[in-house]
């Protein structure tokens, strides 16, 4: 955007809070978004960025928690910074709904994501993860994102929807092209493919809703006594597609970048695979990948700052989680060894999946996917490190931070 077209900072924004933080295009941000947010967080819990149409950047822990929980003030529609209205013709269900409407639709999905319901999916994740790792057993070098982090979560999606795993490759490509293709025509084409496939699947399940998969259940579900329309079914299935695939891929990419560049911690995990859950917790705290967006429904004061109805807010989760108890090396050890500090860190880590009414429905599934991968990569794959010369940059567009590629080499570093 040229300087002439940058919108003026609104009058209600105090000038001392204004920064120009382009969270998508600025190379300083994409080189190290966590470091940039850490530095901004030290300047104040709430700042205003004049980039990308103007938005509040919320970085203090209390303020992040309030923005997540006060859904009467912080609406989930439209999603994204800049707002992504128009990305989808209607509101995505349940993510972009608010209040009672949100609760009614979310309730339909909850039974599919509890610990018992996901057991068969976890089994297929374990099998698929082992298969993918066996697939690169003899390789000296892989792109971890292409060879593992993209295909794994596709298995979850297919199992949840009762689909044959033969479609896995097509789904993986569609998901990645939709959200990250450099050419917008490729993204649009993938979007059409996904919607076409889901619409046909919904029609098929309407004709014979006899499976125990999520779509068979949704076509029989009722909201306020009425069955869901085809559009509502599509809005839900599409949201699950984008919420469940790209997030896991991205979280895996940043976690494995850390392990590839911290050989001591990787060695410790290999010696003690039982420490995976604790280390994962700490890595989630250190590298949360989703900074959700909100729009103010009315004037409101947050962290002593007056905001106005219609303002856009970016919830800078990492600002809140990384400010905890010092130390951000992902080792899970702040040196204090005390339980209160560990509980404190764990509470902060859980913010990686959001908080309040919109907290991630797939949190248990996602944690299993991440844990299984860490355990198997440390027990069934040889030691790995970042390929020489590889300097992967973060992609911060599209509301999910992650790496588009992660070249790894095998063998003791
Ligand atoms: C590491 C992986 C994941 C991360 C970091 C993550 C993170 C998040 C976050 C932060 C939110 C809250 C967004 C907001 O407040 O606006 C969210 C919502 C959601 N997530 Fe996840 N997620 C992950 C994986 C998954 C998976 C595997 C699924 C399903 C298969 C899933 C389904 C959802 C759904 C349906 C919502 C919307 C909930 C609502 O609006 O009520 N997520 N996720």
């Amino acid at each position: 955007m040229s300087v002439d077209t940058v919108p003026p900072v609104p009058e209600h924004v105090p000038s001392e809070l204004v920064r120009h933080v382009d969270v998508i295009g600025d190379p300083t941000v994409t080189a190290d978004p966590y470091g940039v947010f850490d530095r901004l967080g030290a300047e104040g819990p709430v700042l205003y960025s004049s980039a990308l149409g103007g938005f509040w950047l919320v970085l203090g822990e209390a303020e992040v928690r309030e923005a997540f929980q006060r859904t009467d003030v912080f609406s989930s529609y439209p999603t994204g910074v800049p707002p992504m209205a128009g990305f989808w013709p209607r509101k995505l269900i349940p993510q972009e709904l608010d209040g009672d409407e949100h609760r009614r639709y979310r309730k339909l999905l909850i039974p599919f994501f509890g610990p018992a319901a996901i057991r068969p999916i976890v089994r297929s994740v374990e099998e698929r993860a082992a298969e993918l790792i066996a697939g690169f057993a003899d390789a000296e070098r892989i792109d971890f994102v292409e060879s593992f982090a993209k295909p794994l979560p596709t298995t979850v999606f297919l199992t949840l929807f009762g689909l044959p795993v033969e479609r896995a490759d097509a789904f993986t490509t569609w998901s990645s092209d939709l959200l990250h293709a450099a050419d917008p025509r490729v993204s649009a084409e993938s979007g059409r493919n996904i919607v076409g496939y889901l619409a046909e699947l919904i029609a098929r399940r309407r004709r014979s809703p006899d499976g125990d998969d999520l779509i068979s259940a949704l076509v029989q579900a009722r909201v306020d006594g009425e069955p869901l329309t085809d559009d509502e079914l599509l809005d839900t299935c599409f949201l699950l597609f984008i919420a469940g695939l790209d997030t896991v891929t991205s979280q895996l990419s940043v976690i494995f970048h850390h392990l590839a560049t911290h050989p001591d911690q990787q060695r410790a995990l290999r010696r003690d695979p039982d420490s995976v859950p604790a280390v994962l917790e700490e890595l989630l705290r250190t590298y949360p990948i989703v900074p959700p967006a909100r729009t103010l429904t009315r004037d409101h004061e947050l962290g002593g700052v007056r905001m106005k109805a219609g303002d856009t807010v970016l919830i800078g989760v990492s600002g809140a989680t990384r400010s905890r108890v010092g130390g951000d090396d992902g080792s899970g050890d702040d040196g204090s060894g005390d339980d209160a500090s560990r509980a404190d860190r764990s509470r902060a880590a859980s913010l990686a999946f959001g908080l309040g009414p919109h907290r991630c429905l797939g949190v248990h599934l996602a944690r299993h996917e991440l844990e299984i991968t860490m355990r198997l990569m440390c027990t069934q794959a040889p030691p790995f490190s970042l390929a020489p010369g590889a300097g992967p940059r973060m992609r911060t567009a599209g509301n999910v931070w992650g790496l588009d590629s992660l070249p790894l080499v095998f063998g003791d570093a």
Side-chain angles (χ1 to χ4, degrees):
M1 194 185 276
S2 81
V3 174
D4 305 343
T5 56
V6 173
V9 172
E11 273 176 19
H12 65 282
V13 177
S15 57
E16 68 275 15
L17 298 183
V18 179
R19 309 285 184 279
H20 192 80
V21 192
D22 177 348
V23 285
I24 295 177
D26 183 341
T28 326
V29 175
T30 50
D32 179 16
Y34 296 105
V36 169
F37 274 33
D38 287 351
R39 286 192 290 282
L40 290 166
E43 292 174 26
V46 180
L47 300 172
Y48 185 89
S49 172
S50 53
L52 304 170
F55 61 94
W56 292 103
L57 180 55
V58 177
L59 295 158
E61 183 175 358
E63 292 76 11
V64 161
R65 288 181 183 277
E66 183 173 339
F68 269 129
Q69 280 172 315
R70 288 293 306 273
T71 49
D72 55 329
V73 178
F74 296 93
S75 166
S76 288
Y77 183 80
T79 196
V81 169
M84 282 160 69
F87 167 78
W88 184 250
R90 298 168 299 277
K91 290 185 182 179
L92 289 166
I93 298 176
Q95 168 135 23
E96 292 190 323
L97 304 179
D98 294 317
D100 278 346
E101 192 183 20
H102 169 254
R103 267 189 292 280
R104 285 199 295 273
Y105 286 89
R106 181 175 163 108
K107 210 166 72 182
L108 301 178
L109 297 174
I110 290 172
F112 288 89
F113 293 97
I118 64 172
R119 220 166 278 141
I121 308 182
V122 171
R123 267 198 302 277
S124 56
V125 167
E126 267 163 348
E127 285 165 18
R128 183 78 172 127
E131 195 179 284
L132 290 167
I133 291 173
F136 49 71
D138 299 326
E140 284 170 14
R141 178 186 170 121
I142 57 163
D143 178 354
F144 180 73
V145 172
E146 288 302 325
S147 304
F148 191 97
K150 280 183 183 173
L152 186 77
T154 309
T155 307
V156 168
F157 185 80
L158 296 174
T159 316
L160 196 60
F161 278 26
L163 294 171
V165 281
E166 291 80 68
R167 299 304 307 234
D169 288 348
F171 269 94
T172 305
T173 309
W174 289 344
S175 155
S176 138
D177 284 352
L178 171 76
L179 299 169
H180 308 305
D183 182 345
R185 284 168 305 184
V186 175
S187 302
E189 174 67 20
S190 289
R192 278 193 295 276
N193 283 332
I194 297 162
V195 169
Y197 186 85
L198 291 176
E200 196 213 309
L201 183 67
I202 289 166
R204 236 187 303 147
R205 294 287 194 267
R206 270 210 198 283
R207 285 196 297 275
S208 49
D210 40 13
D212 54 4
D213 59 282
L214 195 145
I215 303 188
S216 295
L218 286 181
V219 295
Q220 300 172 78
R222 291 183 181 267
V223 170
D224 298 334
E226 295 293 325
L228 273 70
T229 64
D230 282 351
D231 280 349
E232 287 171 324
L233 288 166
L234 205 50
D235 300 344
T236 311
C237 294
F238 190 76
L239 185 269
L240 287 170
F241 186 88
I242 52 176
L245 269 70
D246 190 48
T247 45
V248 175
T249 301
S250 300
Q251 190 75 67
L252 282 170
S253 75
V254 294
I255 286 178
F256 277 81
H257 179 266
H258 181 93
L259 293 175
T261 51
H262 292 74
D264 290 355
Q265 288 171 33
Q266 191 188 136
R267 267 194 295 277
L269 262 189
R270 289 176 179 281
R271 274 196 306 273
D272 179 16
D274 288 347
S275 64
V276 162
V279 174
L280 170 60
E281 200 70 356
E282 189 57 7
L283 289 169
L284 287 168
R285 185 189 73 77
T286 312
Y287 303 115
I289 52 154
V290 182
R294 297 289 190 262
T295 304
L296 264 86
T297 57
R298 54 174 186 261
D299 296 0
H300 182 72
E301 195 174 299
L302 181 70
V305 176
R306 229 164 43 82
M307 301 176 168
K308 283 218 167 285
D311 285 355
T312 300
V313 167
L314 185 73
I315 308 182
V317 172
S318 74
T321 63
R322 288 164 63 97
S323 60
R324 290 267 120 193
V325 234
D328 64 353
D329 65 354
S331 67
D333 181 9
D334 66 352
S336 71
D338 93 38
D339 285 350
S341 145
R342 260 194 296 277
D344 214 23
R345 283 169 168 254
S346 168
R347 200 170 98 92
S350 79
L351 282 176
F353 293 99
L355 180 73
H358 287 277
R359 180 162 162 78
C360 179
L361 267 173
V363 57
H364 303 302
L365 258 178
R367 278 184 195 272
H368 277 295
E369 290 180 72
L370 303 171
E371 272 187 35
I372 288 168
T373 305
M374 287 171 68
R375 193 163 34 78
L376 292 184
M377 280 293 284
C378 290
T379 52
Q380 296 188 8
F384 51 87
S385 52
L386 194 61
R393 287 184 87 75
M394 290 284 278
R395 171 240 322 131
T396 48
N399 264 21
V400 178
W401 294 359
L403 297 167
D404 285 330
S405 80
L406 179 62
L408 297 182
V409 286
F410 291 107
D412 256 323

